[in-house]
Each structure stands twice: as structure tokens, then as C-alpha cells.
Amino acid sequence: MSRESTESEIDSHDASTDRSTAPRHEEIDYLSREVNLLKPSTPFMRDHLKVIWTGFVAWALLTFGPPVLTYFAPATMTAQLPVIGFPLHYFLVAVLSPTSSLVLAFIYSRKRDQLDERYGIDHTASQTRSKSESEAAVADGGRVE
């Protein structure tokens, strides 16, 4: 099977294709691929963009939702919360927005790790190489000969 046919199989947008592309994933030269946010060229890019866009939509709703709701429903959003005595909109902006950002960051990192595992991406090789290079560095920025 030629390299072009393998890449065309990987690039197909059919949902029926097998998603276990780890062995074929290493054959793709990603540096020569076009990166297009609206039409990604590889299955990994498509899956990664789904995670990114889902997270972006969730972040936008959680961040801009309380102010928009305050504009459209001021009576409900400015009502005092019984236990803490703050207005609802203040509590949502002060607590929900930062907390949701942290939770979304955690979810993104878990999803990205799952994608890396699905497509056979291993980051240990690059970490091993950078450690050996940093050990060879000298205090003045030169190299050990």
C-alpha cells in the first residue's frame, strides 16, 4: 500500500473508519500539513479541535452567562442569596467564573491525555532528550566538549 493511500484513508471524514490509528499516526508528516481551524486535515486535529471548541463554548457560557442573565433578568439575578447575603449575580461572577475556568483546564488536560493515548503520541522521548541536553550545559551557556 502506498503512502498516499494510507494518508487518504487517515484523512477520510467517514465515521465508519477505524479510530485505532496509532500505528498509522506516525506515518503522517504533520509539519507539511495545512492547519485549518474550519477543516482540519487529520483525525487527531479534528478530535483535538472538538475538545477545544467544546471547552471554548462552555467557557463563554460560564463566563459571560451571569452578566447577560443580569441584563435580561435583573430581578432574579440581583436578588439576595439567603445564606451569604450577596446578590446572585455577584456570587456567580465571583465564584462560578474562576472555578469553572479551573475545572475546564483540568477537563482539557484529561481529554488531551486521552487523545494522545488514542493516537499513540508519546512525550517521554522529548523529555528524555531535553534532560540529557540540559545536563550537558555549562554554567556560562557553553557546551561540554
Side-chain angles (χ1 to χ4, degrees):
M1 184 175 266
S2 71
R3 183 174 174 89
E4 290 178 12
S5 64
T6 304
E7 286 186 8
S8 66
E9 288 174 5
I10 293 172
D11 288 345
S12 72
H13 290 278
D14 294 336
S16 62
T17 59
D18 183 22
R19 286 297 196 172
S20 60
T21 59
R24 296 183 293 166
H25 172 70
E26 295 176 359
E27 298 174 5
I28 300 174
D29 180 22
Y30 284 101
L31 295 177
S32 66
R33 295 301 201 138
E34 177 184 348
V35 177
N36 184 346
L37 292 177
L38 301 176
K39 187 178 178 192
S41 61
T42 63
F44 174 76
M45 289 180 191
R46 283 191 291 275
D47 291 344
H48 190 213
L49 279 175
K50 286 178 190 175
V51 172
I52 289 172
W53 283 111
T54 303
F56 175 74
V57 169
W59 171 81
L61 289 173
L62 291 168
T63 301
F64 298 112
V68 170
L69 285 174
T70 303
Y71 179 77
F72 287 114
T76 305
M77 293 298 287
T78 56
Q80 299 288 325
L81 292 174
V83 177
I84 58 176
F86 286 110
L88 178 61
H89 74 283
Y90 178 80
F91 180 76
L92 290 176
V93 170
V95 175
L96 181 70
S97 294
T99 306
S100 64
S101 295
L102 290 173
V103 170
L104 285 172
F106 175 76
I107 291 171
Y108 171 76
S109 67
R110 297 290 294 163
K111 290 291 187 182
R112 179 60 197 258
D113 288 343
Q114 290 172 356
L115 278 178
D116 289 349
E117 186 176 318
R118 177 193 282 174
Y119 288 99
I121 297 172
D122 185 21
H123 297 285
T124 58
S126 63
Q127 291 174 353
T128 306
R129 184 180 64 226
S130 64
K131 284 182 183 177
S132 65
E133 289 174 359
S134 65
E135 290 173 357
V138 188
D140 66 351
R143 292 184 181 240
V144 176
E145 295 181 15

mmCIF file of all heavy atoms in Angstrom, residues 51-83:
data_model
loop_
_atom_site.group_PDB
_atom_site.id
_atom_site.type_symbol
_atom_site.label_atom_id
_atom_site.label_comp_id
_atom_site.label_asym_id
_atom_site.label_seq_id
_atom_site.Cartn_x
_atom_site.Cartn_y
_atom_site.Cartn_z
ATOM 1 N N VAL A 51 -12.473 19.075 21.103
ATOM 2 C CA VAL A 51 -12.241 19.333 22.532
ATOM 3 C C VAL A 51 -12.067 20.834 22.772
ATOM 4 O O VAL A 51 -12.641 21.402 23.716
ATOM 5 C CB VAL A 51 -11.014 18.546 23.030
ATOM 6 C CG1 VAL A 51 -10.631 18.949 24.442
ATOM 7 C CG2 VAL A 51 -11.271 17.055 22.956
ATOM 8 N N ILE A 52 -11.306 21.493 21.919
ATOM 9 C CA ILE A 52 -11.046 22.924 22.082
ATOM 10 C C ILE A 52 -12.333 23.733 21.925
ATOM 11 O O ILE A 52 -12.638 24.605 22.746
ATOM 12 C CB ILE A 52 -9.975 23.402 21.077
ATOM 13 C CG1 ILE A 52 -8.617 22.841 21.474
ATOM 14 C CG2 ILE A 52 -9.929 24.929 21.015
ATOM 15 C CD1 ILE A 52 -7.534 23.102 20.448
ATOM 16 N N TRP A 53 -13.109 23.473 20.878
ATOM 17 C CA TRP A 53 -14.334 24.241 20.643
ATOM 18 C C TRP A 53 -15.381 23.984 21.724
ATOM 19 O O TRP A 53 -16.089 24.902 22.144
ATOM 20 C CB TRP A 53 -14.916 23.953 19.262
ATOM 21 C CG TRP A 53 -14.167 24.664 18.170
ATOM 22 C CD1 TRP A 53 -13.391 24.094 17.217
ATOM 23 C CD2 TRP A 53 -14.102 26.071 17.949
ATOM 24 N NE1 TRP A 53 -12.847 25.056 16.418
ATOM 25 C CE2 TRP A 53 -13.273 26.280 16.828
ATOM 26 C CE3 TRP A 53 -14.664 27.174 18.583
ATOM 27 C CZ2 TRP A 53 -12.992 27.548 16.342
ATOM 28 C CZ3 TRP A 53 -14.391 28.438 18.075
ATOM 29 C CH2 TRP A 53 -13.557 28.610 16.976
ATOM 30 N N THR A 54 -15.478 22.730 22.197
ATOM 31 C CA THR A 54 -16.415 22.432 23.283
ATOM 32 C C THR A 54 -16.031 23.190 24.542
ATOM 33 O O THR A 54 -16.890 23.781 25.208
ATOM 34 C CB THR A 54 -16.448 20.914 23.556
ATOM 35 O OG1 THR A 54 -16.793 20.236 22.353
ATOM 36 C CG2 THR A 54 -17.441 20.574 24.644
ATOM 37 N N GLY A 55 -14.753 23.191 24.860
ATOM 38 C CA GLY A 55 -14.275 23.934 26.022
ATOM 39 C C GLY A 55 -14.483 25.430 25.874
ATOM 40 O O GLY A 55 -14.826 26.124 26.837
ATOM 41 N N PHE A 56 -14.286 25.937 24.665
ATOM 42 C CA PHE A 56 -14.477 27.370 24.431
ATOM 43 C C PHE A 56 -15.935 27.769 24.623
ATOM 44 O O PHE A 56 -16.229 28.793 25.248
ATOM 45 C CB PHE A 56 -14.007 27.740 23.028
ATOM 46 C CG PHE A 56 -14.288 29.176 22.681
ATOM 47 C CD1 PHE A 56 -13.537 30.189 23.241
ATOM 48 C CD2 PHE A 56 -15.312 29.499 21.803
ATOM 49 C CE1 PHE A 56 -13.806 31.519 22.930
ATOM 50 C CE2 PHE A 56 -15.578 30.816 21.485
ATOM 51 C CZ PHE A 56 -14.824 31.827 22.055
ATOM 52 N N VAL A 57 -16.852 26.966 24.102
ATOM 53 C CA VAL A 57 -18.280 27.270 24.249
ATOM 54 C C VAL A 57 -18.675 27.224 25.724
ATOM 55 O O VAL A 57 -19.385 28.107 26.220
ATOM 56 C CB VAL A 57 -19.136 26.313 23.390
ATOM 57 C CG1 VAL A 57 -20.606 26.425 23.729
ATOM 58 C CG2 VAL A 57 -18.913 26.597 21.910
ATOM 59 N N ALA A 58 -18.203 26.192 26.432
ATOM 60 C CA ALA A 58 -18.515 26.094 27.864
ATOM 61 C C ALA A 58 -17.942 27.280 28.624
ATOM 62 O O ALA A 58 -18.606 27.868 29.484
ATOM 63 C CB ALA A 58 -17.967 24.783 28.427
ATOM 64 N N TRP A 59 -16.702 27.671 28.309
ATOM 65 C CA TRP A 59 -16.082 28.822 28.976
ATOM 66 C C TRP A 59 -16.871 30.106 28.699
ATOM 67 O O TRP A 59 -17.112 30.899 29.606
ATOM 68 C CB TRP A 59 -14.641 28.984 28.494
ATOM 69 C CG TRP A 59 -14.026 30.251 28.963
ATOM 70 C CD1 TRP A 59 -13.470 30.513 30.177
ATOM 71 C CD2 TRP A 59 -13.935 31.476 28.221
ATOM 72 N NE1 TRP A 59 -13.030 31.811 30.232
ATOM 73 C CE2 TRP A 59 -13.310 32.426 29.040
ATOM 74 C CE3 TRP A 59 -14.323 31.857 26.934
ATOM 75 C CZ2 TRP A 59 -13.052 33.717 28.622
ATOM 76 C CZ3 TRP A 59 -14.066 33.142 26.526
ATOM 77 C CH2 TRP A 59 -13.440 34.063 27.365
ATOM 78 N N ALA A 60 -17.267 30.319 27.445
ATOM 79 C CA ALA A 60 -18.010 31.531 27.096
ATOM 80 C C ALA A 60 -19.340 31.590 27.838
ATOM 81 O O ALA A 60 -19.726 32.651 28.347
ATOM 82 C CB ALA A 60 -18.232 31.592 25.582
ATOM 83 N N LEU A 61 -20.049 30.461 27.916
ATOM 84 C CA LEU A 61 -21.327 30.449 28.637
ATOM 85 C C LEU A 61 -21.142 30.703 30.135
ATOM 86 O O LEU A 61 -21.901 31.460 30.745
ATOM 87 C CB LEU A 61 -22.045 29.122 28.418
ATOM 88 C CG LEU A 61 -22.613 28.888 27.029
ATOM 89 C CD1 LEU A 61 -23.154 27.468 26.908
ATOM 90 C CD2 LEU A 61 -23.695 29.897 26.713
ATOM 91 N N LEU A 62 -20.137 30.072 30.717
ATOM 92 C CA LEU A 62 -19.924 30.221 32.152
ATOM 93 C C LEU A 62 -19.353 31.592 32.523
ATOM 94 O O LEU A 62 -19.607 32.103 33.607
ATOM 95 C CB LEU A 62 -18.995 29.112 32.664
ATOM 96 C CG LEU A 62 -19.612 27.717 32.634
ATOM 97 C CD1 LEU A 62 -18.537 26.663 32.880
ATOM 98 C CD2 LEU A 62 -20.731 27.602 33.646
ATOM 99 N N THR A 63 -18.597 32.187 31.631
ATOM 100 C CA THR A 63 -18.003 33.488 31.921
ATOM 101 C C THR A 63 -18.962 34.636 31.618
ATOM 102 O O THR A 63 -19.113 35.556 32.417
ATOM 103 C CB THR A 63 -16.700 33.670 31.111
ATOM 104 O OG1 THR A 63 -15.811 32.621 31.473
ATOM 105 C CG2 THR A 63 -16.059 35.007 31.405
ATOM 106 N N PHE A 64 -19.612 34.593 30.459
ATOM 107 C CA PHE A 64 -20.469 35.698 30.058
ATOM 108 C C PHE A 64 -21.942 35.466 30.361
ATOM 109 O O PHE A 64 -22.762 36.362 30.182
ATOM 110 C CB PHE A 64 -20.282 35.994 28.562
ATOM 111 C CG PHE A 64 -18.886 36.417 28.235
ATOM 112 C CD1 PHE A 64 -18.058 35.604 27.487
ATOM 113 C CD2 PHE A 64 -18.383 37.623 28.692
ATOM 114 C CE1 PHE A 64 -16.765 35.988 27.197
ATOM 115 C CE2 PHE A 64 -17.089 38.018 28.412
ATOM 116 C CZ PHE A 64 -16.276 37.193 27.657
ATOM 117 N N GLY A 65 -22.282 34.266 30.820
ATOM 118 C CA GLY A 65 -23.670 33.955 31.157
ATOM 119 C C GLY A 65 -24.246 34.804 32.274
ATOM 120 O O GLY A 65 -25.327 35.394 32.123
ATOM 121 N N PRO A 66 -23.567 34.896 33.429
ATOM 122 C CA PRO A 66 -24.134 35.713 34.521
ATOM 123 C C PRO A 66 -24.352 37.179 34.163
ATOM 124 O O PRO A 66 -25.426 37.719 34.453
ATOM 125 C CB PRO A 66 -23.112 35.543 35.644
ATOM 126 C CG PRO A 66 -22.494 34.216 35.387
ATOM 127 C CD PRO A 66 -22.438 34.099 33.897
ATOM 128 N N PRO A 67 -23.408 37.870 33.515
ATOM 129 C CA PRO A 67 -23.704 39.263 33.150
ATOM 130 C C PRO A 67 -24.870 39.397 32.160
ATOM 131 O O PRO A 67 -25.682 40.321 32.274
ATOM 132 C CB PRO A 67 -22.409 39.773 32.524
ATOM 133 C CG PRO A 67 -21.350 38.892 33.058
ATOM 134 C CD PRO A 67 -21.991 37.565 33.259
ATOM 135 N N VAL A 68 -24.952 38.468 31.208
ATOM 136 C CA VAL A 68 -26.047 38.518 30.234
ATOM 137 C C VAL A 68 -27.377 38.239 30.933
ATOM 138 O O VAL A 68 -28.384 38.917 30.673
ATOM 139 C CB VAL A 68 -25.791 37.530 29.079
ATOM 140 C CG1 VAL A 68 -27.003 37.384 28.185
ATOM 141 C CG2 VAL A 68 -24.583 37.977 28.260
ATOM 142 N N LEU A 69 -27.395 37.254 31.829
ATOM 143 C CA LEU A 69 -28.614 36.972 32.585
ATOM 144 C C LEU A 69 -29.011 38.155 33.469
ATOM 145 O O LEU A 69 -30.195 38.420 33.658
ATOM 146 C CB LEU A 69 -28.444 35.717 33.435
ATOM 147 C CG LEU A 69 -28.500 34.391 32.694
ATOM 148 C CD1 LEU A 69 -28.175 33.244 33.638
ATOM 149 C CD2 LEU A 69 -29.854 34.186 32.057
ATOM 150 N N THR A 70 -28.024 38.846 34.010
ATOM 151 C CA THR A 70 -28.314 40.026 34.828
ATOM 152 C C THR A 70 -28.990 41.105 33.987
ATOM 153 O O THR A 70 -29.888 41.807 34.458
ATOM 154 C CB THR A 70 -27.024 40.577 35.461
ATOM 155 O OG1 THR A 70 -26.425 39.538 36.233
ATOM 156 C CG2 THR A 70 -27.296 41.756 36.362
ATOM 157 N N TYR A 71 -28.585 41.236 32.735
ATOM 158 C CA TYR A 71 -29.197 42.218 31.851
ATOM 159 C C TYR A 71 -30.632 41.828 31.513
ATOM 160 O O TYR A 71 -31.525 42.683 31.500
ATOM 161 C CB TYR A 71 -28.363 42.356 30.575
ATOM 162 C CG TYR A 71 -28.936 43.325 29.586
ATOM 163 C CD1 TYR A 71 -28.810 44.703 29.769
ATOM 164 C CD2 TYR A 71 -29.622 42.875 28.461
ATOM 165 C CE1 TYR A 71 -29.342 45.594 28.861
ATOM 166 C CE2 TYR A 71 -30.160 43.765 27.549
ATOM 167 C CZ TYR A 71 -30.020 45.123 27.752
ATOM 168 O OH TYR A 71 -30.556 46.004 26.855
ATOM 169 N N PHE A 72 -30.862 40.535 31.209
ATOM 170 C CA PHE A 72 -32.191 40.107 30.768
ATOM 171 C C PHE A 72 -33.145 39.798 31.914
ATOM 172 O O PHE A 72 -34.362 39.861 31.740
ATOM 173 C CB PHE A 72 -32.081 38.883 29.848
ATOM 174 C CG PHE A 72 -31.542 39.222 28.486
ATOM 175 C CD1 PHE A 72 -30.311 38.749 28.072
ATOM 176 C CD2 PHE A 72 -32.259 40.029 27.616
ATOM 177 C CE1 PHE A 72 -29.813 39.067 26.821
ATOM 178 C CE2 PHE A 72 -31.773 40.357 26.372
ATOM 179 C CZ PHE A 72 -30.535 39.873 25.963
ATOM 180 N N ALA A 73 -32.616 39.427 33.082
ATOM 181 C CA ALA A 73 -33.475 39.100 34.234
ATOM 182 C C ALA A 73 -32.918 39.767 35.485
ATOM 183 O O ALA A 73 -32.439 39.105 36.408
ATOM 184 C CB ALA A 73 -33.561 37.602 34.416
ATOM 185 N N PRO A 74 -32.972 41.107 35.544
ATOM 186 C CA PRO A 74 -32.341 41.803 36.668
ATOM 187 C C PRO A 74 -32.985 41.503 38.019
ATOM 188 O O PRO A 74 -32.297 41.466 39.034
ATOM 189 C CB PRO A 74 -32.471 43.286 36.307
ATOM 190 C CG PRO A 74 -33.557 43.352 35.302
ATOM 191 C CD PRO A 74 -33.576 42.037 34.603
ATOM 192 N N ALA A 75 -34.282 41.260 38.050
ATOM 193 C CA ALA A 75 -34.940 41.000 39.331
ATOM 194 C C ALA A 75 -34.438 39.698 39.946
ATOM 195 O O ALA A 75 -34.177 39.620 41.146
ATOM 196 C CB ALA A 75 -36.446 40.947 39.144
ATOM 197 N N THR A 76 -34.289 38.677 39.125
ATOM 198 C CA THR A 76 -33.822 37.379 39.624
ATOM 199 C C THR A 76 -32.345 37.419 39.985
ATOM 200 O O THR A 76 -31.944 36.920 41.038
ATOM 201 C CB THR A 76 -34.051 36.290 38.560
ATOM 202 O OG1 THR A 76 -35.422 36.292 38.195
ATOM 203 C CG2 THR A 76 -33.641 34.930 39.062
ATOM 204 N N MET A 77 -31.542 38.015 39.141
ATOM 205 C CA MET A 77 -30.097 37.982 39.340
ATOM 206 C C MET A 77 -29.629 38.925 40.443
ATOM 207 O O MET A 77 -28.559 38.710 41.013
ATOM 208 C CB MET A 77 -29.377 38.306 38.026
ATOM 209 C CG MET A 77 -29.570 37.252 36.962
ATOM 210 S SD MET A 77 -28.917 35.645 37.404
ATOM 211 C CE MET A 77 -27.184 35.950 37.247
ATOM 212 N N THR A 78 -30.380 39.969 40.751
ATOM 213 C CA THR A 78 -29.959 40.884 41.811
ATOM 214 C C THR A 78 -30.595 40.547 43.158
ATOM 215 O O THR A 78 -30.396 41.267 44.130
ATOM 216 C CB THR A 78 -30.296 42.343 41.438
ATOM 217 O OG1 THR A 78 -31.692 42.447 41.158
ATOM 218 C CG2 THR A 78 -29.480 42.779 40.234
ATOM 219 N N ALA A 79 -31.344 39.452 43.229
ATOM 220 C CA ALA A 79 -31.948 39.033 44.499
ATOM 221 C C ALA A 79 -30.849 38.572 45.456
ATOM 222 O O ALA A 79 -29.842 37.999 45.041
ATOM 223 C CB ALA A 79 -32.944 37.900 44.248
ATOM 224 N N GLN A 80 -31.047 38.824 46.735
ATOM 225 C CA GLN A 80 -30.079 38.430 47.752
ATOM 226 C C GLN A 80 -30.153 36.922 48.000
ATOM 227 O O GLN A 80 -31.232 36.360 48.122
ATOM 228 C CB GLN A 80 -30.367 39.156 49.067
ATOM 229 C CG GLN A 80 -30.289 40.665 48.981
ATOM 230 C CD GLN A 80 -28.855 41.159 48.843
ATOM 231 O OE1 GLN A 80 -27.951 40.595 49.397
ATOM 232 N NE2 GLN A 80 -28.679 42.221 48.069
ATOM 233 N N LEU A 81 -28.988 36.282 48.081
ATOM 234 C CA LEU A 81 -28.941 34.867 48.456
ATOM 235 C C LEU A 81 -29.200 34.759 49.956
ATOM 236 O O LEU A 81 -28.651 35.542 50.743
ATOM 237 C CB LEU A 81 -27.581 34.260 48.106
ATOM 238 C CG LEU A 81 -27.282 34.132 46.621
ATOM 239 C CD1 LEU A 81 -25.862 33.655 46.403
ATOM 240 C CD2 LEU A 81 -28.248 33.175 45.972
ATOM 241 N N PRO A 82 -30.032 33.832 50.391
ATOM 242 C CA PRO A 82 -30.437 33.796 51.798
ATOM 243 C C PRO A 82 -29.299 33.514 52.778
ATOM 244 O O PRO A 82 -29.259 34.106 53.842
ATOM 245 C CB PRO A 82 -31.489 32.686 51.851
ATOM 246 C CG PRO A 82 -31.375 31.942 50.590
ATOM 247 C CD PRO A 82 -30.692 32.819 49.601
ATOM 248 N N VAL A 83 -28.363 32.657 52.455
ATOM 249 C CA VAL A 83 -27.341 32.264 53.421
ATOM 250 C C VAL A 83 -26.207 33.273 53.511
ATOM 251 O O VAL A 83 -25.820 33.690 54.600
ATOM 252 C CB VAL A 83 -26.792 30.859 53.075
ATOM 253 C CG1 VAL A 83 -25.674 30.455 54.013
ATOM 254 C CG2 VAL A 83 -27.905 29.841 53.093
#
